[in-house]
Amino acid sequence: MTAHSPDIVIAGGGLSASLAALRLAPAGRVLLVDAKPDPLAGHTWSFHDGDLDASQRAWLAPAIRRTWDGQDVRFPGYGRQLRAGYASLDADSLGAALQRLPNVTTLQARMAAMDGRSLTLSDGGRIEARLAIDARGFRPHPAVEVRFQKFLGQELRLTAPHGLTRPVIMDATVPQQDGYRFFYLLPFDDTRLLVEDTYYSDAAHLSADRQRADIADYAAARGWQVAAVVREETGVLPITLRLDADAFWKSLPPGVPAIGLRALRFHPLTGYSLPHAVRSADLVARHWQQGPWALAKALRRDSLADARAQGFYRLLSRMLFEAAAPDERRRVMERFYRLPEPLIERLYAGRSTLADKARILTGRPPVPVAKALRCLPGTLKERPA
Ligand SMILES: Cc1cc2nc3c(=O)[nH]c(=O)nc-3n(C[C@H](O)[C@H](O)[C@H](O)COP(=O)(O)OP(=O)(O)OC[C@H]3O[C@@H](n4cnc5c(N)ncnc54)[C@H](O)[C@@H]3O)c2cc1C
């Protein structure tokens, strides 16, 4: 190591790596190594207020593009204003927050191998540090069985105000196809909004041209005239049906700290990973000076505890994908959004109580998934195929 070596080198420069760098600065020098020239490009990352505590919201604040006081959901027979606040980061806001940190640098390079203190690059170069972290994003693994939340979104600039004041996190009044389908709307200002055509689907494939046409139709049906498509983003997020967390962690090298989707840190039912990345960043800040083994152990312990606590959400994912017919999924979601708001907020935050779980499964009146569950006892089993 030289005087110019980073304290921490991270393989990957996406969300989890960037948040770890943001959380750490100015305590340590961080180098983010990513194969892509602009790893944050084409992303908007959102979260619900209740997902984070006050201190987490405070250190994340410089990276936030926009916050809102509430959010809406819409179904054919039912619409609701939810009081929970919502916030979004995007490539520009997170990138600008990182650029203000002199201790954080980036390098475009592909990592070929790593251990807890170094990266070997595909061109043979080597980077040493006090600590190396793996944040290379999702990869399929035999210990986890997933389905998909997939979407194409366009940030539109309209010729006149759209009239929305809050995000519409689900507009499921649209025709259902390819699983559960809804539009997601983020009004950044009076005339700018992100419109995403989203599917909870068994297949990962996206037809970009078709989704672009569907977004244009959706906007036209609301009388919105598009002045410009400012940018576009696509995502295929894993939704977890089954997970053998012990087998997963046994397959990882024990002395290499892992964060983000690489470590399967995301909500099994929504695919959201920002709250997990924030929590991992806090752990990195707390343990990095103890070296790679101590940090890897703390992250693994947190992940295993979380995997145990999230079994209920994997059960809900199985019920949604396996017990409910594709055209019934919207009805399942509509019933869910009729439940009390605190219960909905705790589900998003991954903190459902026993009473919440009972209420979701039994419902008043009984939810269709409960019926489906009785019909399909195999649905209860959690064993990756
Ligand atoms: C468009 C989009 C929108 C999303 N919206 C939300 C949201 O609103 N809220 C939410 O919580 N979640 C959201 N997600 C889901 C999830 O939070 C993101 O996928 C998130 O970016 C995952 O963070 P990560 O750091 O694990 O992986 P990534 O952000 O995917 O970063 C991994 C990085 O590692 C790099 N890499 C991989 N292999 C190598 C290698 N060998 N060498 C060097 N670099 C390498 C990749 O180039 C990549 O940039 C969204 C996902 C997408 C795609």
Side-chain angles (χ1 to χ4, degrees):
M1 262 180 285
T2 70
H4 300 296
S5 301
D7 294 310
I8 302 184
V9 59
I10 306 185
L15 179 69
S16 61
S18 299
L19 295 189
L22 186 68
R23 174 68 180 83
L24 256 164
R29 282 165 305 170
V30 183
L31 174 63
L32 306 176
V33 178
D34 202 293
K36 292 183 194 156
D38 187 357
L40 302 180
H43 278 92
T44 308
W45 298 278
S46 304
F47 61 96
H48 304 268
D49 265 4
D51 296 351
L52 306 182
D53 65 28
S55 83
Q56 292 169 330
R57 277 198 297 273
W59 69 252
L60 191 63
I64 290 176
R65 172 174 178 187
R66 172 82 214 251
T67 60
W68 296 270
D69 287 337
Q71 44 186 288
D72 293 353
V73 290
R74 296 177 187 163
F75 292 91
Y78 179 67
R80 187 170 184 187
Q81 292 194 345
L82 299 163
R83 60 168 191 205
Y86 200 69
S88 297
L89 285 59
D90 68 8
D92 289 344
S93 64
L94 179 54
L98 289 177
Q99 268 177 5
R100 288 192 287 270
L101 303 172
N103 278 2
V104 179
T105 48
T106 57
L107 172 71
Q108 187 189 349
R110 175 165 290 281
M111 184 222 94
M114 70 183 293
D115 59 31
R117 293 192 191 277
S118 69
L119 303 192
T120 304
L121 306 179
S122 56
D123 65 6
R126 192 174 154 83
I127 301 168
E128 296 194 356
R130 290 170 66 183
L131 186 76
I133 298 177
D134 191 358
R136 282 175 294 159
F138 184 73
R139 65 163 172 178
H141 190 285
V144 62
E145 183 181 341
V146 299
R147 296 291 188 275
F148 309 98
Q149 184 193 158
K150 60 187 183 184
F151 53 84
L152 182 141
Q154 290 183 331
E155 185 168 330
L156 305 178
R157 190 158 49 76
L158 305 181
T159 55
H162 44 64
L164 297 173
T165 53
R166 306 133 65 93
V168 179
I169 58 161
M170 280 184 189
D171 176 2
T173 58
V174 293
Q176 298 295 288
Q177 61 205 33
D178 196 3
Y180 171 52
R181 178 182 183 222
F182 60 92
F183 271 70
Y184 170 88
L185 309 171
L186 291 182
F188 287 115
D189 65 27
D190 288 353
T191 55
R192 243 188 211 227
L193 85 165
L194 178 68
V195 181
E196 281 184 3
D197 184 15
T198 306
Y199 300 78
Y200 266 68
S201 177
D202 295 327
H205 174 73
L206 272 171
S207 169
D209 285 343
R210 176 161 176 194
Q211 287 186 284
R212 287 183 194 117
D214 287 347
I215 290 173
D217 290 348
Y218 182 89
R222 274 140 199 87
W224 297 337
Q225 280 193 359
V226 178
V229 176
V230 180
R231 63 182 187 90
E232 196 170 275
E233 63 183 66
T234 59
V236 181
L237 277 47
I239 302 295
T240 311
L241 270 55
R242 296 179 174 81
L243 169 67
D244 183 341
D246 290 315
F248 174 74
W249 280 100
K250 269 186 199 134
S251 74
L252 300 190
V256 181
I259 59 175
L261 264 54
R262 194 68 181 182
L264 297 182
R265 300 309 308 272
F266 58 91
H267 193 299
L269 190 57
T270 66
Y272 273 27
S273 81
L274 185 139
H276 294 80
V278 164
R279 215 160 85 197
S280 296
D282 278 339
L283 283 174
V284 171
R286 201 173 309 144
H287 294 284
W288 74 274
Q289 282 172 319
Q290 297 158 12
W293 284 85
L295 175 60
K297 196 171 156 195
L299 289 167
R300 187 169 59 240
R301 198 185 312 118
D302 184 56
S303 175
L304 285 170
D306 203 40
R308 272 192 296 279
Q310 291 190 332
F312 176 68
Y313 305 120
R314 296 191 292 275
L315 171 66
L316 292 183
S317 296
R318 297 201 289 286
M319 286 169 33
L320 194 61
F321 280 95
E322 294 182 342
D327 54 357
E328 265 184 1
R329 290 175 191 166
R330 176 166 63 180
R331 221 150 45 88
V332 173
M333 298 304 293
E334 183 176 335
R335 295 284 185 132
F336 169 71
Y337 278 107
R338 289 176 185 267
L339 292 168
E341 280 199 56
L343 178 152
I344 295 170
E345 290 164 18
R346 286 192 292 272
L347 180 133
Y348 277 130
R351 288 194 290 268
S352 299
T353 63
L354 262 180
D356 292 344
K357 294 175 186 176
R359 183 81 192 268
I360 291 168
L361 289 180
T362 57
R364 253 180 299 154
V367 294
V369 285
K371 194 170 70 191
L373 185 64
R374 280 198 299 278
C375 300
L376 288 175
T379 300
L380 282 171
K381 297 203 181 98
E382 183 168 4
R383 200 183 44 215

PDB file of all heavy atoms in Angstrom, residues 204-236:
ATOM      1  N   ALA A 204     -38.450 -12.384 -17.316  1.00  0.00           N
ATOM      2  CA  ALA A 204     -37.636 -11.170 -17.187  1.00  0.00           C
ATOM      3  C   ALA A 204     -37.664 -10.309 -18.448  1.00  0.00           C
ATOM      4  O   ALA A 204     -37.263  -9.155 -18.420  1.00  0.00           O
ATOM      5  CB  ALA A 204     -36.191 -11.563 -16.869  1.00  0.00           C
ATOM      6  N   HIS A 205     -38.184 -10.864 -19.539  1.00  0.00           N
ATOM      7  CA  HIS A 205     -38.086 -10.148 -20.815  1.00  0.00           C
ATOM      8  C   HIS A 205     -38.933  -8.862 -20.833  1.00  0.00           C
ATOM      9  O   HIS A 205     -40.058  -8.839 -20.361  1.00  0.00           O
ATOM     10  CB  HIS A 205     -38.549 -11.082 -21.949  1.00  0.00           C
ATOM     11  CG  HIS A 205     -38.614 -10.385 -23.260  1.00  0.00           C
ATOM     12  ND1 HIS A 205     -37.475 -10.041 -23.953  1.00  0.00           N
ATOM     13  CD2 HIS A 205     -39.659  -9.938 -23.991  1.00  0.00           C
ATOM     14  CE1 HIS A 205     -37.833  -9.416 -25.066  1.00  0.00           C
ATOM     15  NE2 HIS A 205     -39.151  -9.353 -25.112  1.00  0.00           N
ATOM     16  N   LEU A 206     -38.359  -7.807 -21.410  1.00  0.00           N
ATOM     17  CA  LEU A 206     -39.066  -6.536 -21.583  1.00  0.00           C
ATOM     18  C   LEU A 206     -39.131  -6.203 -23.071  1.00  0.00           C
ATOM     19  O   LEU A 206     -38.162  -6.430 -23.791  1.00  0.00           O
ATOM     20  CB  LEU A 206     -38.255  -5.407 -20.934  1.00  0.00           C
ATOM     21  CG  LEU A 206     -38.447  -5.060 -19.475  1.00  0.00           C
ATOM     22  CD1 LEU A 206     -37.369  -4.062 -19.072  1.00  0.00           C
ATOM     23  CD2 LEU A 206     -39.815  -4.481 -19.236  1.00  0.00           C
ATOM     24  N   SER A 207     -40.262  -5.660 -23.498  1.00  0.00           N
ATOM     25  CA  SER A 207     -40.335  -5.200 -24.886  1.00  0.00           C
ATOM     26  C   SER A 207     -40.336  -3.677 -24.860  1.00  0.00           C
ATOM     27  O   SER A 207     -41.366  -3.034 -24.675  1.00  0.00           O
ATOM     28  CB  SER A 207     -41.615  -5.732 -25.543  1.00  0.00           C
ATOM     29  OG  SER A 207     -41.785  -5.071 -26.766  1.00  0.00           O
ATOM     30  N   ALA A 208     -39.159  -3.099 -25.034  1.00  0.00           N
ATOM     31  CA  ALA A 208     -39.001  -1.653 -24.831  1.00  0.00           C
ATOM     32  C   ALA A 208     -39.891  -0.840 -25.768  1.00  0.00           C
ATOM     33  O   ALA A 208     -40.538   0.122 -25.347  1.00  0.00           O
ATOM     34  CB  ALA A 208     -37.536  -1.274 -25.002  1.00  0.00           C
ATOM     35  N   ASP A 209     -39.946  -1.238 -27.041  1.00  0.00           N
ATOM     36  CA  ASP A 209     -40.749  -0.446 -27.993  1.00  0.00           C
ATOM     37  C   ASP A 209     -42.219  -0.437 -27.598  1.00  0.00           C
ATOM     38  O   ASP A 209     -42.896   0.577 -27.656  1.00  0.00           O
ATOM     39  CB  ASP A 209     -40.600  -1.019 -29.408  1.00  0.00           C
ATOM     40  CG  ASP A 209     -39.248  -0.642 -29.995  1.00  0.00           C
ATOM     41  OD1 ASP A 209     -38.624   0.291 -29.440  1.00  0.00           O
ATOM     42  OD2 ASP A 209     -38.814  -1.289 -30.962  1.00  0.00           O
ATOM     43  N   ARG A 210     -42.682  -1.601 -27.175  1.00  0.00           N
ATOM     44  CA  ARG A 210     -44.091  -1.692 -26.783  1.00  0.00           C
ATOM     45  C   ARG A 210     -44.358  -0.825 -25.543  1.00  0.00           C
ATOM     46  O   ARG A 210     -45.370  -0.141 -25.458  1.00  0.00           O
ATOM     47  CB  ARG A 210     -44.417  -3.148 -26.495  1.00  0.00           C
ATOM     48  CG  ARG A 210     -45.806  -3.282 -26.015  1.00  0.00           C
ATOM     49  CD  ARG A 210     -46.305  -4.664 -26.151  1.00  0.00           C
ATOM     50  NE  ARG A 210     -47.645  -4.697 -25.556  1.00  0.00           N
ATOM     51  CZ  ARG A 210     -48.269  -5.778 -25.272  1.00  0.00           C
ATOM     52  NH1 ARG A 210     -47.717  -6.940 -25.549  1.00  0.00           N
ATOM     53  NH2 ARG A 210     -49.463  -5.741 -24.738  1.00  0.00           N
ATOM     54  N   GLN A 211     -43.422  -0.860 -24.578  1.00  0.00           N
ATOM     55  CA  GLN A 211     -43.642  -0.073 -23.360  1.00  0.00           C
ATOM     56  C   GLN A 211     -43.579   1.425 -23.640  1.00  0.00           C
ATOM     57  O   GLN A 211     -44.324   2.204 -23.048  1.00  0.00           O
ATOM     58  CB  GLN A 211     -42.642  -0.492 -22.289  1.00  0.00           C
ATOM     59  CG  GLN A 211     -43.017  -1.867 -21.735  1.00  0.00           C
ATOM     60  CD  GLN A 211     -42.141  -2.256 -20.565  1.00  0.00           C
ATOM     61  OE1 GLN A 211     -40.999  -2.636 -20.760  1.00  0.00           O
ATOM     62  NE2 GLN A 211     -42.668  -2.154 -19.372  1.00  0.00           N
ATOM     63  N   ARG A 212     -42.702   1.805 -24.553  1.00  0.00           N
ATOM     64  CA  ARG A 212     -42.654   3.233 -24.944  1.00  0.00           C
ATOM     65  C   ARG A 212     -43.998   3.656 -25.527  1.00  0.00           C
ATOM     66  O   ARG A 212     -44.530   4.720 -25.214  1.00  0.00           O
ATOM     67  CB  ARG A 212     -41.545   3.468 -25.976  1.00  0.00           C
ATOM     68  CG  ARG A 212     -40.176   3.407 -25.347  1.00  0.00           C
ATOM     69  CD  ARG A 212     -39.089   3.726 -26.371  1.00  0.00           C
ATOM     70  NE  ARG A 212     -37.822   3.339 -25.802  1.00  0.00           N
ATOM     71  CZ  ARG A 212     -37.005   2.393 -26.286  1.00  0.00           C
ATOM     72  NH1 ARG A 212     -37.327   1.747 -27.390  1.00  0.00           N
ATOM     73  NH2 ARG A 212     -35.886   2.106 -25.669  1.00  0.00           N
ATOM     74  N   ALA A 213     -44.547   2.793 -26.379  1.00  0.00           N
ATOM     75  CA  ALA A 213     -45.845   3.109 -26.997  1.00  0.00           C
ATOM     76  C   ALA A 213     -46.931   3.156 -25.915  1.00  0.00           C
ATOM     77  O   ALA A 213     -47.811   4.022 -25.939  1.00  0.00           O
ATOM     78  CB  ALA A 213     -46.176   2.066 -28.057  1.00  0.00           C
ATOM     79  N   ASP A 214     -46.860   2.242 -24.941  1.00  0.00           N
ATOM     80  CA  ASP A 214     -47.869   2.223 -23.868  1.00  0.00           C
ATOM     81  C   ASP A 214     -47.775   3.482 -22.999  1.00  0.00           C
ATOM     82  O   ASP A 214     -48.790   4.014 -22.546  1.00  0.00           O
ATOM     83  CB  ASP A 214     -47.687   0.974 -22.996  1.00  0.00           C
ATOM     84  CG  ASP A 214     -48.160  -0.294 -23.717  1.00  0.00           C
ATOM     85  OD1 ASP A 214     -48.838  -0.155 -24.757  1.00  0.00           O
ATOM     86  OD2 ASP A 214     -47.847  -1.400 -23.247  1.00  0.00           O
ATOM     87  N   ILE A 215     -46.557   3.956 -22.762  1.00  0.00           N
ATOM     88  CA  ILE A 215     -46.402   5.197 -21.978  1.00  0.00           C
ATOM     89  C   ILE A 215     -46.994   6.376 -22.758  1.00  0.00           C
ATOM     90  O   ILE A 215     -47.704   7.224 -22.199  1.00  0.00           O
ATOM     91  CB  ILE A 215     -44.914   5.441 -21.628  1.00  0.00           C
ATOM     92  CG1 ILE A 215     -44.454   4.401 -20.595  1.00  0.00           C
ATOM     93  CG2 ILE A 215     -44.702   6.858 -21.087  1.00  0.00           C
ATOM     94  CD1 ILE A 215     -42.960   4.422 -20.293  1.00  0.00           C
ATOM     95  N   ALA A 216     -46.726   6.402 -24.064  1.00  0.00           N
ATOM     96  CA  ALA A 216     -47.288   7.487 -24.893  1.00  0.00           C
ATOM     97  C   ALA A 216     -48.816   7.448 -24.848  1.00  0.00           C
ATOM     98  O   ALA A 216     -49.475   8.486 -24.693  1.00  0.00           O
ATOM     99  CB  ALA A 216     -46.783   7.358 -26.329  1.00  0.00           C
ATOM    100  N   ASP A 217     -49.393   6.235 -24.925  1.00  0.00           N
ATOM    101  CA  ASP A 217     -50.860   6.103 -24.869  1.00  0.00           C
ATOM    102  C   ASP A 217     -51.389   6.540 -23.509  1.00  0.00           C
ATOM    103  O   ASP A 217     -52.426   7.197 -23.409  1.00  0.00           O
ATOM    104  CB  ASP A 217     -51.276   4.641 -25.120  1.00  0.00           C
ATOM    105  CG  ASP A 217     -51.045   4.233 -26.567  1.00  0.00           C
ATOM    106  OD1 ASP A 217     -50.782   5.125 -27.403  1.00  0.00           O
ATOM    107  OD2 ASP A 217     -51.101   3.017 -26.846  1.00  0.00           O
ATOM    108  N   TYR A 218     -50.680   6.140 -22.457  1.00  0.00           N
ATOM    109  CA  TYR A 218     -51.117   6.475 -21.086  1.00  0.00           C
ATOM    110  C   TYR A 218     -51.144   8.001 -20.918  1.00  0.00           C
ATOM    111  O   TYR A 218     -52.096   8.565 -20.380  1.00  0.00           O
ATOM    112  CB  TYR A 218     -50.152   5.827 -20.087  1.00  0.00           C
ATOM    113  CG  TYR A 218     -50.507   6.054 -18.634  1.00  0.00           C
ATOM    114  CD1 TYR A 218     -51.350   5.171 -17.964  1.00  0.00           C
ATOM    115  CD2 TYR A 218     -49.989   7.138 -17.933  1.00  0.00           C
ATOM    116  CE1 TYR A 218     -51.673   5.375 -16.624  1.00  0.00           C
ATOM    117  CE2 TYR A 218     -50.310   7.353 -16.606  1.00  0.00           C
ATOM    118  CZ  TYR A 218     -51.145   6.458 -15.952  1.00  0.00           C
ATOM    119  OH  TYR A 218     -51.461   6.666 -14.626  1.00  0.00           O
ATOM    120  N   ALA A 219     -50.069   8.661 -21.397  1.00  0.00           N
ATOM    121  CA  ALA A 219     -49.993  10.124 -21.275  1.00  0.00           C
ATOM    122  C   ALA A 219     -51.116  10.772 -22.097  1.00  0.00           C
ATOM    123  O   ALA A 219     -51.818  11.671 -21.609  1.00  0.00           O
ATOM    124  CB  ALA A 219     -48.627  10.610 -21.751  1.00  0.00           C
ATOM    125  N   ALA A 220     -51.305  10.278 -23.316  1.00  0.00           N
ATOM    126  CA  ALA A 220     -52.325  10.877 -24.189  1.00  0.00           C
ATOM    127  C   ALA A 220     -53.722  10.727 -23.582  1.00  0.00           C
ATOM    128  O   ALA A 220     -54.532  11.654 -23.623  1.00  0.00           O
ATOM    129  CB  ALA A 220     -52.264  10.226 -25.569  1.00  0.00           C
ATOM    130  N   ALA A 221     -53.970   9.549 -22.963  1.00  0.00           N
ATOM    131  CA  ALA A 221     -55.299   9.307 -22.377  1.00  0.00           C
ATOM    132  C   ALA A 221     -55.586  10.274 -21.232  1.00  0.00           C
ATOM    133  O   ALA A 221     -56.744  10.501 -20.888  1.00  0.00           O
ATOM    134  CB  ALA A 221     -55.383   7.864 -21.884  1.00  0.00           C
ATOM    135  N   ARG A 222     -54.547  10.839 -20.633  1.00  0.00           N
ATOM    136  CA  ARG A 222     -54.738  11.806 -19.556  1.00  0.00           C
ATOM    137  C   ARG A 222     -54.662  13.242 -20.052  1.00  0.00           C
ATOM    138  O   ARG A 222     -54.593  14.191 -19.268  1.00  0.00           O
ATOM    139  CB  ARG A 222     -53.685  11.568 -18.457  1.00  0.00           C
ATOM    140  CG  ARG A 222     -54.191  10.510 -17.507  1.00  0.00           C
ATOM    141  CD  ARG A 222     -53.142   9.533 -17.032  1.00  0.00           C
ATOM    142  NE  ARG A 222     -53.846   8.355 -16.516  1.00  0.00           N
ATOM    143  CZ  ARG A 222     -54.216   7.314 -17.288  1.00  0.00           C
ATOM    144  NH1 ARG A 222     -53.954   7.302 -18.576  1.00  0.00           N
ATOM    145  NH2 ARG A 222     -54.877   6.294 -16.769  1.00  0.00           N
ATOM    146  N   GLY A 223     -54.556  13.394 -21.342  1.00  0.00           N
ATOM    147  CA  GLY A 223     -54.496  14.740 -21.921  1.00  0.00           C
ATOM    148  C   GLY A 223     -53.139  15.391 -21.750  1.00  0.00           C
ATOM    149  O   GLY A 223     -53.018  16.612 -21.867  1.00  0.00           O
ATOM    150  N   TRP A 224     -52.120  14.608 -21.460  1.00  0.00           N
ATOM    151  CA  TRP A 224     -50.774  15.181 -21.279  1.00  0.00           C
ATOM    152  C   TRP A 224     -50.067  15.230 -22.625  1.00  0.00           C
ATOM    153  O   TRP A 224     -49.917  14.194 -23.292  1.00  0.00           O
ATOM    154  CB  TRP A 224     -49.935  14.322 -20.323  1.00  0.00           C
ATOM    155  CG  TRP A 224     -50.482  14.235 -18.927  1.00  0.00           C
ATOM    156  CD1 TRP A 224     -51.317  15.118 -18.318  1.00  0.00           C
ATOM    157  CD2 TRP A 224     -50.215  13.203 -17.964  1.00  0.00           C
ATOM    158  NE1 TRP A 224     -51.600  14.713 -17.037  1.00  0.00           N
ATOM    159  CE2 TRP A 224     -50.927  13.536 -16.797  1.00  0.00           C
ATOM    160  CE3 TRP A 224     -49.447  12.048 -17.970  1.00  0.00           C
ATOM    161  CZ2 TRP A 224     -50.903  12.749 -15.642  1.00  0.00           C
ATOM    162  CZ3 TRP A 224     -49.413  11.255 -16.831  1.00  0.00           C
ATOM    163  CH2 TRP A 224     -50.138  11.605 -15.681  1.00  0.00           C
ATOM    164  N   GLN A 225     -49.595  16.400 -23.002  1.00  0.00           N
ATOM    165  CA  GLN A 225     -48.821  16.519 -24.253  1.00  0.00           C
ATOM    166  C   GLN A 225     -47.343  16.532 -23.922  1.00  0.00           C
ATOM    167  O   GLN A 225     -46.889  17.354 -23.117  1.00  0.00           O
ATOM    168  CB  GLN A 225     -49.186  17.807 -24.961  1.00  0.00           C
ATOM    169  CG  GLN A 225     -50.483  17.655 -25.727  1.00  0.00           C
ATOM    170  CD  GLN A 225     -50.715  18.807 -26.690  1.00  0.00           C
ATOM    171  OE1 GLN A 225     -49.917  19.726 -26.770  1.00  0.00           O
ATOM    172  NE2 GLN A 225     -51.813  18.743 -27.402  1.00  0.00           N
ATOM    173  N   VAL A 226     -46.607  15.630 -24.546  1.00  0.00           N
ATOM    174  CA  VAL A 226     -45.189  15.462 -24.213  1.00  0.00           C
ATOM    175  C   VAL A 226     -44.339  16.432 -25.033  1.00  0.00           C
ATOM    176  O   VAL A 226     -44.326  16.376 -26.266  1.00  0.00           O
ATOM    177  CB  VAL A 226     -44.745  14.003 -24.490  1.00  0.00           C
ATOM    178  CG1 VAL A 226     -43.264  13.822 -24.184  1.00  0.00           C
ATOM    179  CG2 VAL A 226     -45.591  13.028 -23.663  1.00  0.00           C
ATOM    180  N   ALA A 227     -43.621  17.339 -24.327  1.00  0.00           N
ATOM    181  CA  ALA A 227     -42.699  18.249 -25.029  1.00  0.00           C
ATOM    182  C   ALA A 227     -41.382  17.532 -25.301  1.00  0.00           C
ATOM    183  O   ALA A 227     -40.762  17.741 -26.338  1.00  0.00           O
ATOM    184  CB  ALA A 227     -42.456  19.495 -24.185  1.00  0.00           C
ATOM    185  N   ALA A 228     -40.952  16.681 -24.352  1.00  0.00           N
ATOM    186  CA  ALA A 228     -39.679  15.952 -24.548  1.00  0.00           C
ATOM    187  C   ALA A 228     -39.620  14.747 -23.627  1.00  0.00           C
ATOM    188  O   ALA A 228     -40.138  14.788 -22.504  1.00  0.00           O
ATOM    189  CB  ALA A 228     -38.504  16.871 -24.256  1.00  0.00           C
ATOM    190  N   VAL A 229     -38.994  13.683 -24.132  1.00  0.00           N
ATOM    191  CA  VAL A 229     -38.634  12.569 -23.257  1.00  0.00           C
ATOM    192  C   VAL A 229     -37.217  12.890 -22.774  1.00  0.00           C
ATOM    193  O   VAL A 229     -36.261  12.860 -23.539  1.00  0.00           O
ATOM    194  CB  VAL A 229     -38.654  11.215 -24.007  1.00  0.00           C
ATOM    195  CG1 VAL A 229     -38.169  10.096 -23.091  1.00  0.00           C
ATOM    196  CG2 VAL A 229     -40.058  10.930 -24.525  1.00  0.00           C
ATOM    197  N   VAL A 230     -37.104  13.234 -21.485  1.00  0.00           N
ATOM    198  CA  VAL A 230     -35.831  13.745 -20.971  1.00  0.00           C
ATOM    199  C   VAL A 230     -34.817  12.610 -20.791  1.00  0.00           C
ATOM    200  O   VAL A 230     -33.640  12.759 -21.068  1.00  0.00           O
ATOM    201  CB  VAL A 230     -36.058  14.470 -19.624  1.00  0.00           C
ATOM    202  CG1 VAL A 230     -34.755  15.018 -19.069  1.00  0.00           C
ATOM    203  CG2 VAL A 230     -37.094  15.564 -19.780  1.00  0.00           C
ATOM    204  N   ARG A 231     -35.300  11.479 -20.326  1.00  0.00           N
ATOM    205  CA  ARG A 231     -34.413  10.320 -20.142  1.00  0.00           C
ATOM    206  C   ARG A 231     -35.272   9.082 -19.963  1.00  0.00           C
ATOM    207  O   ARG A 231     -36.503   9.188 -19.794  1.00  0.00           O
ATOM    208  CB  ARG A 231     -33.486  10.504 -18.939  1.00  0.00           C
ATOM    209  CG  ARG A 231     -34.233  10.601 -17.662  1.00  0.00           C
ATOM    210  CD  ARG A 231     -33.350  10.839 -16.452  1.00  0.00           C
ATOM    211  NE  ARG A 231     -34.192  10.754 -15.266  1.00  0.00           N
ATOM    212  CZ  ARG A 231     -34.423   9.657 -14.589  1.00  0.00           C
ATOM    213  NH1 ARG A 231     -33.838   8.525 -14.930  1.00  0.00           N
ATOM    214  NH2 ARG A 231     -35.238   9.652 -13.557  1.00  0.00           N
ATOM    215  N   GLU A 232     -34.609   7.934 -19.969  1.00  0.00           N
ATOM    216  CA  GLU A 232     -35.335   6.667 -19.893  1.00  0.00           C
ATOM    217  C   GLU A 232     -34.609   5.747 -18.916  1.00  0.00           C
ATOM    218  O   GLU A 232     -33.383   5.825 -18.791  1.00  0.00           O
ATOM    219  CB  GLU A 232     -35.330   6.054 -21.294  1.00  0.00           C
ATOM    220  CG  GLU A 232     -36.332   4.970 -21.494  1.00  0.00           C
ATOM    221  CD  GLU A 232     -36.436   4.570 -22.967  1.00  0.00           C
ATOM    222  OE1 GLU A 232     -37.171   5.210 -23.728  1.00  0.00           O
ATOM    223  OE2 GLU A 232     -35.767   3.599 -23.332  1.00  0.00           O
ATOM    224  N   GLU A 233     -35.336   4.909 -18.222  1.00  0.00           N
ATOM    225  CA  GLU A 233     -34.677   3.898 -17.390  1.00  0.00           C
ATOM    226  C   GLU A 233     -35.436   2.584 -17.472  1.00  0.00           C
ATOM    227  O   GLU A 233     -36.652   2.572 -17.653  1.00  0.00           O
ATOM    228  CB  GLU A 233     -34.539   4.368 -15.932  1.00  0.00           C
ATOM    229  CG  GLU A 233     -35.828   4.620 -15.182  1.00  0.00           C
ATOM    230  CD  GLU A 233     -35.557   5.147 -13.771  1.00  0.00           C
ATOM    231  OE1 GLU A 233     -35.027   6.268 -13.654  1.00  0.00           O
ATOM    232  OE2 GLU A 233     -35.880   4.450 -12.796  1.00  0.00           O
ATOM    233  N   THR A 234     -34.691   1.500 -17.382  1.00  0.00           N
ATOM    234  CA  THR A 234     -35.336   0.190 -17.354  1.00  0.00           C
ATOM    235  C   THR A 234     -34.773  -0.607 -16.192  1.00  0.00           C
ATOM    236  O   THR A 234     -33.621  -0.412 -15.783  1.00  0.00           O
ATOM    237  CB  THR A 234     -35.068  -0.627 -18.637  1.00  0.00           C
ATOM    238  OG1 THR A 234     -33.660  -0.792 -18.782  1.00  0.00           O
ATOM    239  CG2 THR A 234     -35.638   0.036 -19.853  1.00  0.00           C
ATOM    240  N   GLY A 235     -35.583  -1.499 -15.652  1.00  0.00           N
ATOM    241  CA  GLY A 235     -35.121  -2.330 -14.545  1.00  0.00           C
ATOM    242  C   GLY A 235     -35.804  -3.683 -14.571  1.00  0.00           C
ATOM    243  O   GLY A 235     -36.966  -3.800 -14.988  1.00  0.00           O
ATOM    244  N   VAL A 236     -35.081  -4.692 -14.160  1.00  0.00           N
ATOM    245  CA  VAL A 236     -35.655  -6.017 -13.924  1.00  0.00           C
ATOM    246  C   VAL A 236     -35.204  -6.394 -12.521  1.00  0.00           C
ATOM    247  O   VAL A 236     -34.064  -6.808 -12.301  1.00  0.00           O
ATOM    248  CB  VAL A 236     -35.166  -7.050 -14.959  1.00  0.00           C
ATOM    249  CG1 VAL A 236     -35.818  -8.400 -14.681  1.00  0.00           C
ATOM    250  CG2 VAL A 236     -35.471  -6.591 -16.376  1.00  0.00           C
TER     251      VAL A 236
END
